[in-house]
Structure formats: C-alpha cells, structure tokens
C-alpha cells in the first residue's frame, strides 16, 4: 500500500493507482445475491404452496420499494435487502401456476447459460470479441434450419419476435426492389402485404415502422378456427393488383397468439408462388412444434417459406429473449439488405476470415448472444428432451380440454389444436340465462373480476381477452415441464372458487 | 439412429429436406403409437387424448433437486472462471483459436440425446475459457468493458425472474423502476418531465427517434405509409454512427436521403455546413425533418456543437435528436458535462449506460422531451389480448405499447442496482477517472518515441499511431502512410495470439489504420495503462 502511495499519479484531480472497484467486496456481493436468487426465486417460486405474485397497486408498491436513486451509495446489507424486495414483489413467471403469457417455467441449463452470458458480457458482432458465441449462433441456426426442412439458409437472433417479423418484412421488400435501401419508398408503387386478421399485432407495428403504413396491411379473413382462408388471400392479392398496388409479402402465422391457430401453409405457399410473393411464416409461438414428430404436421408446408420467425424462449423455455429469424435464401440477402460496412468494426484487413464477423447482418450494433442459452438446453436435453417437453405440454393441454368438457360452467371457445386453451367460465347466476345480448354482456365482465381476485390472492395467473367479437374469455397456456395434472385441476377449481358468486 | 422406423404424421413435411431424415430424434418418451392405442376417447380434437400418459403427467418432468445442484455448481464455475479469472490481470484476455479449431474444440453440434450434468458443466468451462474476457482490465477493444459486480447481480436477478416489460400485471417492480430510472436520466439531460423507454441497443434508439420525428411531423405516415409524404431528408455528420444509415434504410427513407454534414478537423459537425445541406435538400425537392447530432462519436469521441445545431433546427423547425449513446454518461460529471451543453434543447436523446457506466449489455435509454404521449401514439397498436382496458388497476402503467417490440427485456434493474450501490457520486467518480486515464495516456504518448496522437482527445477515445523504428522519420516517403496502415493489423494479430490485451484499430476517412484505445473499466490501474503502451511497442518494434 505504502509503496503504491509513493508512486501515486494524480491526473486532473484523480489518483490513477489501483482500481476504484473493490473486487473482493464485489465478488462477495455477487455470491450473496446468488444465494438470494437460489432461495427466493429458484426454490421458493417453484413451490406451488408459494404465491405466484404479491400484488400491490402501483402507488403503494412505489413506497414499498424505495426506488429513488440518490447521490450516495448504500451499504452491502441494504443492497441485499433491495434485491430481496425486488424479488418479493416481482411476478414468479417460473411458478408452476403462472399461465399468463406464452412463456413460463424455468430451465436450469438455459439459466446457467444466461448467467455465463451476463458474466462474460459479450456482443455478437465480430469473431474477435465473440468467437464462441458466433459459432454457437451458427450451429443453432443451422439446426433450426434443418428442422424447418431447408437444406441451407441463413438467419439471425433478434430482440423479440416482433423484430424478427420486421426483418422479414424489410427483407421481402429488399428482394422485391433492392433500390429501396438507398432510395427509400418515395416514388415506388404502393407496397401491400397480407396477413390474417388473427395475426400478431407486430405486423401492424412493423408496417408503420418501416414506412409502409398500417392501411397497406391487408387482413385476410379466417375460418372459425382462426386459420387464414387461402381463397380470401387470393382475392385480396387480386384486389391489390387491381388497385395498382404492389403486393410483395404474405405473412402466415403458425400458432396465433390468442387461439393458437395454424394457417394452412401449403395452400398459402401455392398462392405465393403463383403471384411471386415472399412467404414469411410467423412461427414465433408455434415453431417449437417442429421439434415434435407427433405435432409438426401442424406446420405442414413450412419448408416452402422464404423466412420464418421462431422464438425458442416461448415453448422451449430458453428465457427472454431468444428469437430467431431464419431465411431460406443463401445468397447473403440478409447481409446485402442490412449491411453498412462500418470500417471501425468490420475491418477488412483482419488476420482471420472476416466472413465470421456476421454482425453487419443486423440492424443492431451491439447484440446479445441469445442463441447460447438455447444451445445449452439443447445440449443438455437433446432433441429428444425438447420433443418430450413439446409433447408433454400438448398432452396436458389435451387433458385440460377434456376436463373442461366434463365440468359444468366451463365452455370451450373452440377445440384447440395447440397449447392455447380458450374458454369461458359461466358462473351459476348465468347458467340458465338465455344466451342473448344480456348474457354476453354479463359474461364479458366475469373474467376481469376473476383475474383481479386471483392476482390479489396470488394463487395463479392466467390471461383473458375479448377477441374479434367474442366477449372476454380466458386463454390458458401450458408450457412448463413443472406443471402437473394436479395444476390443471387446480386451475379449474380455483376459477370456480373465485367466480361462483358472480 | 435412423428415424425411418417410425413414420410420423409430419413425415410429409420432411420429404423435401434431407436434413430431417437424419434428424436426431431417438427415443419417444411419450410414445405416439402407445398413446393412440390407449386413447379412443370420442370427441377429441386433432391430437388424440392422452389417457395412457396420465401417470407421467402427474409428476413434473423436471428434476428440481438435480437442477438446483447443477445451478449451484455452475455458480461456482462462473464466479471462479469468468468473474475472478476474467478480471485477473495475470490471466489472458483471450485464448485465440481459429474458427475451424474452435468449432472442433467446442463440439457445438446439437444431437438427439442429452448429456449428463458433469459434461454440461465442462461445456460451461470451455465456453468461458475460449470467450474473450471483456471484463479483463486489459480489454480496451470496444466502447464497453469491465465488470460491475452490483450490475452483474442485477442482471442475474433479471435473468432468473425472466419477465417481460410490457404490463404492470406481469412486471410490476420493473415497470415502476424503469420509470424512475428514465426520470433520473432525463433530469441529468436537464428535463423536468418527458418520456422514454429502454431499447435493445442504441441503434434501435436512433431508429425510434427517426420514427417519432417522422410521425410528429406527418402523423398520417403511420397509417398511409411514406406514399402519403414527400421525399424526406435526414441530416447527420459524416462522423455519425452507422446506425443512422441503417435506420434510414429500415424505415423506408433510404440511405440516399441521409445528408452527411461535413465535420471539422476534430470530428465535430460544422453548423454552417448543416445549413448548406438543408438548403441543398430543399433545392432537390426533399423535405428536411430530422437532424441527428452525436455526443461522443464512435471513433474520435467528438461532441457536435449542440447549441449551434439547436439554433439551426429551431430556425427550420426540425426534430433535434442527440445520439449520446456513447457520450451521454459524461452528464454525470460536473467537471466534464459542459461537453454536452445544449442537450436540454434536444427533442430526443439516445444514451447507453451499458458503455461508460459498465452496466452490461444492453442498457440503452431512449429519452424524449415530449409529454403529450407522442411515443405511445406513434408506436401503439392496442393489442386487446395484452392491453385489456378493463383491468382492475390503472392501465396507464402498462407501458409496453410504446415500443415496437412485444416482449421486452428488463434493462433497468442492473443500472438501478449499480446506482443504489455507488450513488450518483460514485458514477461521477468513474466518469472523471476515465477522463483522467485518457489524459494520462495522452501525455505518455507524447513522451514516447514512435507514438503519435491522431488528435488531442476531448473525450476518452484515444486515437494514435504506433510508428515502428523502421518507419520513424520517413514521413516524406511516398508509401509511408500505406506502410504505416499495415502496422496496426499486425500488432493486433500478435496481441490476440498472445492474449495479452485487446485494442481496436481502424482506418478513418483518409487516415491510415490507427489504434483507438478506450478505458471505461473501474478495474483499470495505471500499471495497465503503462503496460498497454509497452506491449504495443514490444509487439511492433520489429515491424
């Protein structure tokens, strides 16, 4: 210490000797935080006897949390307490009774990969700073491409399926007219894209973000099961042509958000071929069915797509976010479409093969290594293990459907083909009512009240929504391998318990 | 094991690709045929019922105890190999392998069967071993480096809680926290109110700015697209980050419509040139709508003159965006924040605390001065399955519709926890220290033979050439610059193969390859700075 002080260098009022971070204390903090994570999240949250959430209204929670950021730092113990509080009031998405979103549960392998990612803090743009993770991404993409049924292809991991869909839209546009990259849309004929009315809302967001405009998204009617009707698609394509617009893209959905419907890809592909349109498949949710020999028929025809969005963070539990855009074209279309050739990052005179510097395929600059967590799970479980998960989730969904059919007061919206089980709970007071306007109006208010009660109790979480003319209904989603039959029974019992007085 | 034995319902799909014939499915744990036999339940849908498996469905298919044990062991490995050894100056920054060799070493292939836990743990060690240690005190390669322990803990908690930042219902703590953090950042910009959101990277923040500006000027664009608009023009300096170009292409504006404004010899946008470009665009029939200035350019670390540019923007009614992805953190320093004087006049600011404040990737804030809900109006789609208006709490807290993403990572906790741990003062100290380290190196460079600054740094980008003995004093020779341009890549190759440190180089404008050194990590000591110069000399003295 003394020695160091003697040689102290003072620059601009700052002593440069020695680091200003205390590594030992820092490591201790990480260790202690890990203990809390282990006890309070991993062990506790996976226990059905614990709450899924500890509901507090926003104003009260603000007070409970002491969120203010101050001038001076706080001591070790106080910081650990803050971590405890953050965990306590956060929703436990890894709880077996969390059914609220299209993700749930916990996978230990992916979690470890995510911790490694955080500790190493890499950015996947160049081989020089991210050698391992670029190769991992390449290996995972290659495997996903195989499962789609393509011999070769390209791809990239993105911050969310919405962004993947945007990538696809932009790629399709670029393929249609490469000059758009430089010239922009002005002066071009009006571009039109097609997707079903059951599609994810990211298609609209993408259309407005990319300057295409939401009114140039032509929504195609679906059948009673939520699937795009190919004949309607063809009509709309013809309509757009008549209007003098330029159709360029069809986005089909494999696994719609609410109903879990799969569009008829083969027939849609025929139309795309006939009219020379790019076929994108938004399989963000349903893509994981490709892992199952039993269920992959749902995506029959996906190999004919030009691009596919697939989020392993949903059914395959890779952790948020893990979203791949896969592209059939192998002629470097992604790179051509997105590259800006920044000379400070993608120097051409590097000593290694710079084709490994894949970062210029992205619209991002720094990018997280999201493929890695999926790779780790895949390594640990194998394709077989992933397939088992998929099959198990759908088997549980099937079990729940059968139970719903048996129980009084529960009614399915439609026979599900995937893991979305949409149903109404009809409380006793409505069971004998004629199903007219009053019935539906009253039923509409049931789900929100049950939801409020379940959240305040913390017993479980599942979502509800109105949907295309249908009043509020629950959407139950089964994902996690932690979930047992008993949890399915509990779900129905609990809804009945919370709603029987309504 | 060949699959052909069990023709599956999906077999037709697989016909076209040879890949699927080899697909490594091996065992069917929930056997399809067994299920079908046992489940002649009438009235079931497309997939037959599963009565035969009910026993399996009664128990979780996840071994909790084994999983937790694995997690414990992995914690140990991560702490020892990534954190402790990664920050140990006597260890290598990287263990260089050629791509082909590394692929072989890592055995990346994904197979049909899983692996036992000890083997998976060994994979963790290998992944860590061959990864670049960006937390190492001698990693100077990017605009991020180092490791903050509190931020790391925050990131681990984020990963474990695994939630998405769209509704209060599902991320109550983080919805509130994001708001507090954004407010704090806005205060530092100089705004009493405003709006904002965390984005997956500064490039996306810049795109948001461009889109919000476009919507602000032409609200019709959201619905009707660019056909409803005249040709738009964007202005930024020739030193800007390449994401402005990417943004213009992605948003359908086109890269040709990005007018690059000349910069002075220090890399700062020249306001008079901006005026000229605006007139030029107007003459060409385009409509100027957006000016992006840079605080802390990527290569030179230059700060554009905000006040003068703000005047121009006001005069022409243009949206004034400040890309302070890199330089924004200087706002924390009383001493240096004058570099960003005028930022309070911006309409929007991009600021990445993941760079200088070492929060970890990614932590990128997009800040807006607007208080009218512009961001929401511009991006919202009002999905009824997510943003139900009849929720039992105030749905103004469901902030997710402000974004173009749907699921969005929680990026605020790491910064918040770090801030809680060191306070605004601690962050200020880090910023000041980074400046001081750069100043120290600049002075050392001036003293040392063979080192030559590209320019006097005003920020913490230290740009310099190393002139090897064979080239010293030969500046007059015709091929001097060409030869000098070949020096940095060779030194870089040698340092990577030695694993002793990492620093970037690039050509820039007409300038031949030079090094760009960046210190942000609080773990860096003066010894590391001296080592840095010594090492370049050692690696390049024979060139």
């Amino acid at each position: 210490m003394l020695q160091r002080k003697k040689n102290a260098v003072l620059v601009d009022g700052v002593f440069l000797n020695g680091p200003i971070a205390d590594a030992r204390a820092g490591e201790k903090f990480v260790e202690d935080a890990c203990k809390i994570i282990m006890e309070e999240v991993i062990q506790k949250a996976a226990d059905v006897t614990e709450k899924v959430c500890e509901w507090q209204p926003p104003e009260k929670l603000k007070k409970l949390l002491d969120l203010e950021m101050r001038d001076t730092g706080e001591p070790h113990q106080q910081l650990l307490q803050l971590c405890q509080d953050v965990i306590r009031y956060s929703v436990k998405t890894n709880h077996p009774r969390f059914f609220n979103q299209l993700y749930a549960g916990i996978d230990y392998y992916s979690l470890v990969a995510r911790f490694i990612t955080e500790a190493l803090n890499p950015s996947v743009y160049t081989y020089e700073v991210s050698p391992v993770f670029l190769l991992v991404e390449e290996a995972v993409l290659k495997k996903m491409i195989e499962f789609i049924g393509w011999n070769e292809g390209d791809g990239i991991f993105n911050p969310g399926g919405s962004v993947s869909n945007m990538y696809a839209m932009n790629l399709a546009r670029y393929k249609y007219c490469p000059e758009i990259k430089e010239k922009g849309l002005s002066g071009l004929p009006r571009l039109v894209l097609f997707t079903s009315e059951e599609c994810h809302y990211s298609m609209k967001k993408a259309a407005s973000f990319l300057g295409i405009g939401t009114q140039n998204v032509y929504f195609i009617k679906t059948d009673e099961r939520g699937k795009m009707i190919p004949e309607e698609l063809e009509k709309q394509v013809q309509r757009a042509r008549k209007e003098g617009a330029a159709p360029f893209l069809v986005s089909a959905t494999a696994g719609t958000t609410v109903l879990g419907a799969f569009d008829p890809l083969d027939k849609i592909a025929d139309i795309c071929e006939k009219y020379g349109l790019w076929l994108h498949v938004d399989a963000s949710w349903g893509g994981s069915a490709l892992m199952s020999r039993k269920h992959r028929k749902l995506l029959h025809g996906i190999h004919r797509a030009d691009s596919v969005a697939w989020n392993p963070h949903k059914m395959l539990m890779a952790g948020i976010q893990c979203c791949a855009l896969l592209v059939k074209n192998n002629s470097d279309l992604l790179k051509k479409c997105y590259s800006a050739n920044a000379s400070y990052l993608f120097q051409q005179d590097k000593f290694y093969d710079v084709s490994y510097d894949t970062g210029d395929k992205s619209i991002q600059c720094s990018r997280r290594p999201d493929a890695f967590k999926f790779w780790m799970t895949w390594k640990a479980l194998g394709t077989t293990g992933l397939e088992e998960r998929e099959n198990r989730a759908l088997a549980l969904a099937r079990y729940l459907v059968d139970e719903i059919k048996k129980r009084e007061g529960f009614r399915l919206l439609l026979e599900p083909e995937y893991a979305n089980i949409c149903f109404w709970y009809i409380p006793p007071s409505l069971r004998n009512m004629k199903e007219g306007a009053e019935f539906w109006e009253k039923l509409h208010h049931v789900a929100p009240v049950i939801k409020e009660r379940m959240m305040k109790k913390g017993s479980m979480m599942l979502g509800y929504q109105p949907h295309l003319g249908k009043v509020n209904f629950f959407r139950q989603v089964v994902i996690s391998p932690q979930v047992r039959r008993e949890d399915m029974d509990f779900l129905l019992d609990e809804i009945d318990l919370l709603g029987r007085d309504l | 094991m060949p699959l052909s034995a069990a023709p599956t319902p999906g077999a037709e799909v697989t016909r076209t690709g040879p890949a699927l014939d080899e697909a490594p499915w091996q065992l069917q744990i929930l056997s399809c045929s067994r299920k079908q036999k046992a489940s002649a339940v009438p009235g079931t849908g497309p997939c037959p019922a599963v009565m035969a498996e009910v026993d399996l469905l009664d128990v979780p298919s996840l071994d909790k105890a084994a999983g937790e044990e694995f997690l414990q062991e992995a914690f140990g490995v991560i702490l020892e190999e990534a954190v402790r050894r990664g920050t140990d100056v006597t260890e290598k920054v990287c263990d260089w392998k050629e791509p082909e060799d590394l692929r072989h070493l890592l055995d990346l292939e994904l197979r049909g069967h899983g692996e036992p836990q000890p083997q998976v743990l060994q994979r963790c060690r290998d992944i860590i071993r061959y990864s670049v240690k960006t937390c190492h005190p001698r990693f100077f390669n990017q605009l991020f480096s180092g490791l903050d322990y509190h931020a790391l803990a925050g990131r681990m908690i984020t990963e474990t809680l695994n939630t998405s930042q769209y509704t209060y219902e599902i991320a109550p703590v983080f919805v509130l926290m994001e708001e507090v953090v954004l407010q704090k950042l806005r205060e530092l910009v100089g705004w009493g109110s405003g709006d904002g959101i965390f984005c997956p990277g500064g490039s996306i923040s810049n795109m948001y700015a461009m889109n919000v500006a476009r919507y602000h000027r032409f609200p019709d664009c959201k619905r009707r697209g660019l056909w409803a608009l005249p040709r738009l023009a964007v202005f930024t300096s020739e030193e800007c980050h390449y994401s402005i170009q990417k943004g213009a292409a992605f948003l359908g504006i086109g890269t040709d419509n990005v007018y690059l404004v000349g910069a002075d010899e220090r890399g700062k946008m020249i306001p008079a040139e901006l005026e000229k470009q605006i007139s030029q665009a107007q003459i060409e029939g385009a409509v100027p709508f957006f000016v992006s200035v840079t605080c802390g350019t990527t290569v030179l670390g230059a700060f554009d003159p905000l006040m003068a540019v703000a005047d121009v923007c006001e005069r022409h009614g243009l949206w004034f965006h400040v890309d302070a992805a890199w330089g924004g953190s200087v706002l924390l320093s009383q001493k240096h924040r004058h570099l960003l004087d005028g930022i309070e006049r911006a309409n929007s600011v991009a600021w990445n605390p993941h760079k200088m404040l070492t929060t970890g990737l990614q932590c990128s804030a997009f800040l807006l001065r607007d208080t009218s809900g512009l961001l929401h109006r511009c991006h919202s789609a009002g999905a009824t399955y997510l943003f139900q208006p009849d929720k039992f709490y105030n749905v103004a807290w469901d902030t997710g519709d402000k974004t173009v993403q749907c699921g969005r990572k929680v990026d605020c906790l790491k910064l918040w926890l770090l801030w809680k741990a060191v306070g605004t003062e601690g962050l200020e100290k880090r910023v000041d220290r980074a400046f001081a380290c750069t100043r120290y190196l600049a002075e050392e460079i001036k003293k040392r033979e063979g080192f030559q600054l590209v320019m006097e740094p005003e920020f913490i980008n230290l740009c310099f050439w190393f002139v090897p003995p064979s080239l010293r004093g030969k500046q007059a020779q015709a091929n001097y610059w060409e030869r000098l341009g070949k020096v940095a890549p060779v030194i870089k190759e040698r340092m990577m193969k030695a694993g002793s440190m990492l620093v970037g180089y690039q050509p820039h404008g007409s300038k031949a390859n030079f090094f760009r050194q960046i210190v942000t990590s609080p773990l860096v000591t003066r010894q590391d700075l001296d080592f840095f110069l010594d090492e370049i000399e050692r690696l390049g003295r024979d060139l």
Side-chain angles (χ1 to χ4, degrees), chain A residues 118 128 151 321 347 384 451 464, chain B residues 18 112 169 388 407 492 505:
Chain A
E118 295 306 329
E128 93 188 50
N151 295 326
Q321 287 172 324
Q347 302 89 333
T384 328
K451 175 77 179 247
Y464 72 85
Chain B
E169 142 187 0
Q388 303 89 332
K492 174 81 178 240
Y505 72 84

Side-chain angles (χ1 to χ4, degrees), chain A residues 443-462:
Chain A
L443 188 59
H444 185 60
H445 296 293
V446 170
V449 177
I450 295 179
K451 175 77 179 247
E452 173 172 5
R453 291 176 178 179
M454 79 173 73
M455 285 199 70
K456 287 184 172 167
K457 188 174 169 192
S459 54
M460 62 179 189
M461 278 183 77
L462 91 154

Side-chain angles (χ1 to χ4, degrees), chain A residues 84-121:
Chain A
Q84 300 252 26
D85 293 344
V86 163
I87 290 170
R88 176 169 175 195
Y89 296 109
S90 286
V91 172
K92 306 305 180 300
T93 64
N94 59 337
H95 192 286
R97 290 172 184 169
F98 175 84
F99 308 112
N100 209 70
Q101 310 295 140
L102 299 184
Y103 64 90
I106 184 167
D107 179 89
Y108 300 103
Y109 303 103
S110 94
L111 186 59
V112 162
R114 291 151 77 193
F115 285 169
I116 292 174
T117 301
E118 295 306 329
L120 290 172
N121 198 34

Side-chain angles (χ1 to χ4, degrees), chain A residues 112-154:
Chain A
V112 162
R114 291 151 77 193
F115 285 169
I116 292 174
T117 301
E118 295 306 329
L120 290 172
N121 198 34
S123 176
V124 279
Y125 30 54
T126 60
Y127 186 81
E128 93 188 50
V129 291
S130 249
V132 172
F133 299 109
L134 279 174
L135 295 182
V136 165
E137 182 171 46
E138 179 192 75
V140 174
L141 289 170
K142 183 168 160 259
K143 202 72 189 173
M144 293 174 87
I145 283 167
E146 269 180 35
F147 273 81
I148 288 175
W150 295 335
N151 295 326
E152 51 181 15
D154 199 355

Side-chain angles (χ1 to χ4, degrees), chain B residues 152-165:
Chain B
L152 177 60
R155 290 150 68 192
M156 289 175 141
I157 293 171
T158 303
E159 293 299 327
T160 318
L161 289 172
N162 193 40
T163 202
S164 184
Q165 180 114 37

Side-chain angles (χ1 to χ4, degrees), chain B residues 21-184:
Chain B
D21 296 335
E22 315 152 5
W25 284 296
Q26 292 194 338
L27 294 165
Q28 275 185 286
I29 293 188
L30 298 178
S31 156
C32 189
S33 51
R34 181 162 56 89
K35 253 183 294 183
Q36 281 164 341
K37 265 180 224 154
S39 65
V41 175
T44 50
C47 84
V50 287
M51 305 308 283
E53 293 147 20
V54 164
D55 52 327
L56 282 176
L57 299 185
D58 272 342
V59 289
S61 73
L62 192 69
D63 185 344
K64 253 183 78 177
E68 284 169 16
E69 191 193 321
F70 174 67
L71 211 49
Q72 285 289 13
E73 282 177 34
F75 269 151
V77 170
I78 293 169
L79 207 62
E80 184 56 38
E81 321 259 321
V83 175
R84 230 165 256 149
R85 290 182 66 181
T87 54
D88 181 347
V89 84
T90 66
E91 296 279 343
K92 283 180 166 189
V93 179
C94 60
D95 195 343
W96 169 260
K97 298 285 174 218
E98 288 291 336
E100 282 313 318
D101 298 339
L102 185 56
R103 199 180 273 134
H104 181 69
L105 278 168
L106 290 174
D107 176 28
L108 293 169
E109 202 192 320
L110 298 163
R111 302 195 178 83
H113 56 84
E115 293 180 352
Q117 290 198 356
Q119 197 176 344
V120 180
L121 213 55
Q122 185 53 43
R123 295 205 175 278
C124 295
R125 290 198 186 90
D126 293 342
I127 293 284
I128 294 171
R129 172 167 178 194
Y130 296 110
S131 286
V132 173
K133 307 302 179 299
T134 64
C135 55
H136 194 283
R138 289 172 185 171
F139 176 84
F140 308 110
N141 207 67
Q142 310 295 140
L143 300 184
F144 68 90
S145 65
L147 171 82
D148 180 88
Y149 298 95
H150 295 100
L152 177 60
R155 290 150 68 192
M156 289 175 141
I157 293 171
T158 303
E159 293 299 327
T160 318
L161 289 172
N162 193 40
T163 202
S164 184
Q165 180 114 37
Y166 30 58
T167 60
Y168 183 80
E169 142 187 0
I170 171 129
V173 172
F174 302 121
V175 163
L176 297 179
M177 187 180 284
E178 181 173 50
E179 189 43 47
V180 170
V181 174
L182 289 171
Q183 191 188 331
K184 193 76 189 176

Side-chain angles (χ1 to χ4, degrees), chain A residues 170-351:
Chain A
N170 191 42
L171 264 184
R173 176 168 79 173
Y174 179 77
K175 184 82 193 305
Y176 173 80
C177 174
E179 272 201 344
I180 288 176
K181 184 174 177 182
E182 288 86 30
K183 304 281 179 211
L185 293 174
S186 69
L188 278 177
R190 180 167 62 90
L191 296 177
V192 166
L193 64 110
F194 307 85
T195 187
S196 94
E197 55 192 15
E198 295 278 338
C199 78
H200 188 254
Y201 68 92
S202 55
M203 295 313 292
K204 269 170 98 171
K205 290 211 176 195
S208 70
F209 200 63
L210 268 59
I212 291 169
T214 52
Q215 76 170 17
N216 296 317
V217 182
Y218 285 21
F219 291 101
I220 311 301
K221 283 210 187 75
T222 55
D223 64 17
E224 71 293 343
R225 302 193 64 190
K227 295 163 177 286
M228 185 192 285
I229 301 169
E231 295 74 27
E232 292 292 326
L233 170 64
E234 189 158 13
K235 272 189 221 159
Q236 292 290 327
V237 172
Q238 287 165 349
R239 180 193 132 201
R241 283 185 155 191
K242 262 186 217 141
E243 291 167 354
F248 76 109
L249 164 73
V250 175
S251 175
T253 315
T256 60
T257 315
V258 178
L259 303 179
F262 287 74
D263 286 343
L265 302 182
D266 232 358
K267 286 185 182 155
I268 295 172
D270 289 342
I271 295 169
C272 289
E273 265 172 29
K274 183 171 167 191
Y275 293 93
L277 306 176
W278 181 284
L279 174 58
H280 172 65
V281 177
D282 177 0
S284 292
W285 172 222
S288 302
L290 290 169
M291 305 297 298
S292 159
R293 278 166 291 181
K294 180 171 177 188
H295 298 292
R296 59 173 291 134
K297 63 176 182 290
L298 290 166
L299 297 112
H300 183 77
I302 195 167
H303 62 284
R304 297 176 65 189
D306 295 292
S307 58
V308 172
W310 173 3
N311 295 2
H313 77 226
K314 299 186 196 272
M315 186 64 96
L316 299 176
M317 300 169 61
I320 291 167
Q321 287 172 324
C322 185
C323 308
L325 175 75
L326 306 153
V327 183
K328 186 161 35 181
N329 181 298
N330 204 25
S331 68
D332 244 3
L333 190 68
L334 260 179
K335 176 95 183 283
K336 283 181 215 149
C337 177
Y338 289 105
S339 62
N341 302 311
S343 59
Y344 79 91
L345 197 55
F346 304 109
Q347 302 89 333
Q348 296 304 301
D349 53 3
K350 285 181 182 176
F351 68 94

